[in-house]
Amino acid sequence: MKIEPKQIKVKDIFDGYVDNDDDGVFAYGGKLAIRPAYQRNYVYNNVQAESVIQTVLKGFPLNIMYWVKVGDNQYEILDGQQRTLSVMQYLDHKFSILLDGKKYYWDALPDDKYDAIMNYEFMIYICEGEESEKLEWFRVVNIAGVKLTDQELLNSVYTGEWLSDAKRYFSKRNCAAKKLSDRYITGDPNRQELLEKALKGICEYQGIKEISEYMAKHKSDADANELWQYFQDVFHWVEKIFPKHYPSMKGLDWLHLYNKYHHNSYNSSVMIAEVKKLHEDEDVQKKKGIYEYLLCKDTDPYAGRLLSIRAFDKRDKMAAYTKQDGICPICKQHFNYEEMEGDHIIPWSKGGKTVPENCQMLCKDCNGKKTDKY
Ligand SMILES: [Zn+2]
């Protein structure tokens, strides 16, 4: 890992400054990506931006910034994006500042102030090294104050054709991945949350532990087609198995569900009917659990736990306790009320409801051993 300190004048950084919006913000003669394409961070408000300019005008030091070398004479800002942007935007006539109670846009500044900004030097550490080293080091820097998400950090390290292509699918506003998955999962493309979810999913699918491993393996690929195909497979599968859309589907980990269940076969006509029935069942308290329940109920005897089946209330339990004279019907021993738990006589999965007639009290031991709890 090589970390080289460098002082660069504002006028050199401003050289060739261009804001291409979603396609990125560049400066330093085109060599520096202040913000890479399709990667938005939070943005300073005017007060914060002005305080950066005031600092520069007074010649006070700004904190050290970090650039990453991503290619021959190509850099990305890892830390210092907002400070750099503030200065660039001021020079680009985007806001004014107050000097002695007067508003000044950049072109109206007195010469000495103008020179003070242009000749101000940013303190920059340029880092260069193996990906694993960079990642480790970026995480430390990140802890010290950069507000980058894990995936944004990874994107600073594994740059290349593969990443550019992946961002086209997953990181643009209104990107194809957002359109395809918006009814099913949450995630802001600009904060790289969709890309992160897709990567997490494909890693699980392929048995890869870390996203960084996958990115390291594919960073030199010509495109990200494998990832994009996988992502499409997931949501086409969801639409196939559950053809009718419900709002409760949104926010589930569909990539994980796909990984786990896509080898099984399901009848989508049956699914439509079952989803409807479970939505109408008052004993089903967790409607979001319906989908995984239906995917696994034939193989998992405890699938019912996914639905949080409504429990008996105290009145029902008291009534059953009195009726049983405190005797547990399984072990035939007598217990205090507090030592017993309410149980569905006919399990919910066999059509038993959470109604007084279907309530019995079991001692905790017997209840724990019961296998058809749902
Ligand atoms: Zn018992």
Side-chain angles (χ1 to χ4, degrees):
M1 184 76 182
K2 213 175 109 197
I3 300 172
E4 186 199 347
K6 213 170 166 173
Q7 282 161 281
I8 304 180
K9 286 192 170 151
V10 163
K11 65 177 168 197
D12 294 327
I13 297 176
F14 187 60
D15 174 39
Y17 169 75
V18 54
D19 183 344
N20 291 332
D21 199 29
D22 271 355
D23 291 328
V25 181
F26 303 91
Y28 198 40
K31 300 191 289 279
L32 174 69
I34 297 178
R35 198 186 69 215
Y38 316 123
Q39 189 153 315
R40 283 183 172 263
N41 291 327
Y42 75 101
V43 176
Y44 272 9
N45 60 35
N46 278 353
V47 177
Q48 291 169 303
E50 177 170 351
S51 91
V52 173
I53 304 302
Q54 298 289 5
T55 305
V56 169
L57 277 173
K58 292 189 179 95
F60 292 164
L62 289 169
N63 283 338
I64 288 169
M65 304 181 192
Y66 295 93
W67 290 7
V68 190
K69 195 165 178 188
V70 294
D72 283 344
N73 242 342
Q74 292 294 321
Y75 309 93
E76 268 183 24
I77 294 187
L78 174 72
D79 183 11
Q81 193 187 67
Q82 291 305 316
R83 282 166 283 156
T84 307
L85 270 181
S86 297
V87 176
M88 296 299 115
Q89 287 177 349
Y90 182 64
L91 298 182
D92 199 27
H93 214 274
K94 287 288 187 289
F95 62 94
S96 64
I97 59 162
L98 276 182
L99 278 179
D100 306 321
K102 258 183 80 182
K103 267 189 178 180
Y104 281 92
Y105 275 94
W106 125 264
D107 47 7
L109 280 180
D111 283 352
D112 61 324
K113 304 285 185 196
Y114 171 98
D115 290 340
I117 294 186
M118 283 310 224
N119 291 318
Y120 184 88
E121 288 180 332
F122 281 180
M123 287 290 302
I124 295 152
Y125 280 173
I126 296 179
C127 53
E128 189 183 351
E130 292 299 315
E131 282 146 2
S132 57
E133 296 174 322
K134 280 200 260 183
L135 197 55
E136 190 185 342
W137 187 69
F138 291 177
R139 284 191 174 129
V140 175
V141 176
N142 202 35
I143 292 164
V146 197
K147 303 284 193 297
L148 294 185
T149 63
D150 281 352
Q151 189 57 47
E152 285 167 340
L153 281 177
L154 288 166
N155 287 3
S156 308
V157 174
Y158 300 100
T159 49
E161 290 283 305
W162 177 88
L163 182 65
S164 304
D165 197 43
K167 282 180 164 187
R168 277 193 275 277
Y169 294 118
F170 294 98
S171 310
K172 281 166 87 165
R173 273 179 290 190
N174 294 317
C175 57
K178 182 78 181 163
K179 283 186 189 140
L180 177 65
S181 66
D182 203 31
R183 298 199 297 170
Y184 303 106
I185 59 174
T186 55
D188 178 357
N190 285 138
R191 291 313 304 262
Q192 311 302 319
E193 288 166 356
L194 277 188
L195 178 60
E196 184 173 39
K197 282 185 180 175
L199 283 164
K200 195 171 148 248
I202 203 168
C203 284
E204 184 191 55
Y205 184 74
Q206 298 185 351
I208 296 170
K209 272 208 197 98
E210 303 278 348
I211 290 176
S212 57
E213 255 178 75
Y214 183 90
M215 291 180 78
K217 197 171 141 199
H218 292 277
K219 68 171 199 304
S220 307
D221 291 0
D223 57 53
N225 202 262
E226 178 188 77
L227 182 66
W228 174 229
Q229 283 197 19
Y230 162 78
F231 195 79
Q232 292 177 91
D233 286 346
V234 171
F235 293 97
H236 292 158
W237 173 80
V238 177
E239 285 169 353
K240 194 174 67 179
I241 306 292
F242 300 108
K244 189 168 167 9
H245 181 266
Y246 284 82
S248 56
M249 296 175 101
K250 174 127 178 172
L252 298 178
D253 190 350
W254 286 107
L255 295 101
H256 172 67
L257 294 176
Y258 170 83
N259 293 342
K260 204 165 162 191
Y261 300 110
H262 78 283
H263 286 303
N264 304 353
S265 53
Y266 301 96
N267 181 322
S268 59
S269 303
V270 173
M271 287 301 202
I272 290 178
E274 293 271 325
V275 170
K276 183 168 186 286
K277 199 179 102 194
L278 291 169
H279 269 101
E280 288 163 358
D281 189 330
E282 285 176 7
D283 288 339
V284 174
Q285 294 189 303
K286 195 175 163 199
K287 303 297 184 196
K288 279 191 177 299
I290 288 174
Y291 310 96
E292 184 167 13
Y293 169 77
L294 291 173
L295 292 169
C296 75
K297 74 179 172 61
D298 294 336
T299 49
D300 180 358
Y302 296 101
R305 77 191 181 285
L306 296 162
L307 301 172
S308 322
I309 298 304
R310 197 153 59 90
F312 291 104
D313 61 23
K314 187 160 184 189
R315 203 178 50 178
D316 292 348
K317 290 194 287 186
M318 223 22 153
Y321 181 81
T322 310
K323 206 168 105 191
Q324 293 169 214
D325 291 327
I327 308 288
C328 169
I330 296 181
C331 64
K332 315 289 181 205
Q333 305 286 310
H334 180 273
F335 294 92
N336 293 329
Y337 174 81
E338 292 74 26
E339 296 168 314
M340 304 187 88
E341 291 165 341
D343 174 59
H344 289 74
I345 300 170
I346 302 167
W348 173 84
S349 61
K350 305 228 162 57
K353 298 285 173 201
T354 309
V355 291
E357 310 83 82
N358 196 33
C359 178
Q360 65 181 352
M361 294 296 279
L362 298 181
C363 75
K364 285 179 182 167
D365 219 27
C366 291
N367 197 28
K369 285 180 192 151
K370 213 180 154 195
T371 49
D372 53 350
K373 283 301 296 168
Y374 303 98

